[in-house]
Amino acid sequence: MEKKPYVLPQLAFAYKDLEPFISETQLQLHHQKHHAAYVSAANAILETLDKNRNEGIDGDIKALCKAFSFNAAGHLLHSLFWENLAPAAMTTPKPQGLFAKAIDSEFGSFERFKKEFSQAAITTEGSGWAALVYCRQTQRPLLMQVEKHNTHVIPMFRVLMVLDVWEHAYYLDYKNDRAKFVESFWNIVNWAEVNHRLEAILK
Ligand code: MN
């Protein structure tokens, strides 16, 4: 089978299109520098593993696994994040379709979901993410905090939507005011994509 490297995905919108909620400079830096760094680091680790195997070198498996988990998860989470964002003019203020029903059923109302998701994002310790995931066993959408990119990730939970709350995601625009960034996020959620993800999981 042909081995493929990880690739930095193109965004579905221009860097300036999320303004005034995320500035062009902030988004460009986040995508071209931060996300790109996780892609190249994950690829470099795979190259090291290949090289070690080809040359019969043991390598530091523990360190390589840990770094791989961090960087690959960083790449995948950012990819999901960009896709669950949309320019404010292109999206709706509230969830749509099946996803809207699932939110009402789990949280009682969109407002309650928004409040809990925001709180999960604001209180994530250090660098991390708020995530809404779908649990197949309980058939419930559940909130998670992900520290760094990979700590607390539960296998088999499918991501419906994520919000990056690393400082690199908002510091240029919001300084240390993470809560203000989280509030802005609600203007640029791609609800159609989030709904599409839920439908794909349930199909
Ligand atoms: Mn990030």
Side-chain angles (χ1 to χ4, degrees), residues 30 34-35 38 78 81-82 129 149 164 166 168-169:
H30 195 175
H34 292 280
H35 184 172
Y38 303 125
H78 281 93
F81 181 48
W82 307 135
W129 300 71
H149 297 314
D164 188 344
W166 282 58
H168 73 218

Side-chain angles (χ1 to χ4, degrees), residues 139-196:
Q139 300 183 27
R140 295 174 65 160
L142 301 173
L143 285 171
M144 286 173 54
Q145 290 181 329
V146 180
E147 288 180 18
K148 297 197 266 187
H149 297 314
N150 47 345
T151 310
H152 304 151
V153 172
I154 301 173
M156 298 305 288
F157 279 38
R158 298 284 297 273
V159 172
L160 294 171
M161 57 185 279
V162 285
L163 170 58
D164 188 344
V165 288
W166 282 58
E167 280 186 350
H168 73 218
Y170 59 86
Y171 207 82
L172 290 182
D173 292 343
Y174 297 94
K175 301 290 190 296
N176 59 331
D177 196 347
R178 186 192 284 184
K180 198 172 167 197
F181 169 60
V182 171
E183 186 57 34
S184 290
F185 164 72
W186 295 105
N187 295 288
I188 50 172
V189 179
N190 186 343
W191 295 116
E193 169 62 19
V194 176
N195 184 51
H196 172 74

Side-chain angles (χ1 to χ4, degrees), residues 8-187:
L8 182 70
Q10 293 283 320
L11 303 188
F13 37 79
Y15 290 122
K16 62 175 171 23
D17 288 353
L18 299 185
E19 291 187 343
F21 306 107
I22 299 176
S23 70
E24 180 176 13
T25 312
Q26 175 74 79
L27 185 59
Q28 187 166 8
L29 188 76
H30 195 175
H31 179 246
Q32 287 186 354
K33 299 294 177 187
H34 292 280
H35 184 172
Y38 303 125
V39 172
S40 24
N43 285 332
I45 293 160
L46 293 180
E47 282 166 22
T48 300
L49 287 168
D50 285 341
K51 184 170 177 289
N52 289 351
R53 288 165 190 167
N54 288 336
E55 297 178 7
I57 298 165
D58 285 345
D60 185 345
I61 294 297
K62 181 183 175 189
L64 288 167
C65 286
K66 190 172 178 184
F68 180 73
S69 162
F70 175 82
N71 287 290
H75 164 51
L76 295 174
L77 278 169
H78 281 93
S79 302
L80 288 164
F81 181 48
W82 307 135
E83 287 174 7
N84 73 224
L85 295 178
M90 306 284 287
T91 188
T92 51
K94 288 191 174 189
Q96 306 170 357
L98 186 64
F99 179 76
K101 291 195 183 77
I103 288 302
D104 283 345
S105 163
E106 176 69 24
F107 295 90
S109 67
F110 172 63
E111 290 310 314
R112 176 75 194 192
F113 161 66
K114 191 174 161 184
K115 194 171 161 187
E116 287 191 25
F117 186 98
S118 296
Q119 208 54 34
I122 291 164
T123 60
T124 296
E125 287 180 358
S127 298
W129 300 71
L132 182 74
V133 300
Y134 184 78
C135 171
R136 287 177 187 271
Q137 291 198 351
T138 58
Q139 300 183 27
R140 295 174 65 160
L142 301 173
L143 285 171
M144 286 173 54
Q145 290 181 329
V146 180
E147 288 180 18
K148 297 197 266 187
H149 297 314
N150 47 345
T151 310
H152 304 151
V153 172
I154 301 173
M156 298 305 288
F157 279 38
R158 298 284 297 273
V159 172
L160 294 171
M161 57 185 279
V162 285
L163 170 58
D164 188 344
V165 288
W166 282 58
E167 280 186 350
H168 73 218
Y170 59 86
Y171 207 82
L172 290 182
D173 292 343
Y174 297 94
K175 301 290 190 296
N176 59 331
D177 196 347
R178 186 192 284 184
K180 198 172 167 197
F181 169 60
V182 171
E183 186 57 34
S184 290
F185 164 72
W186 295 105
N187 295 288

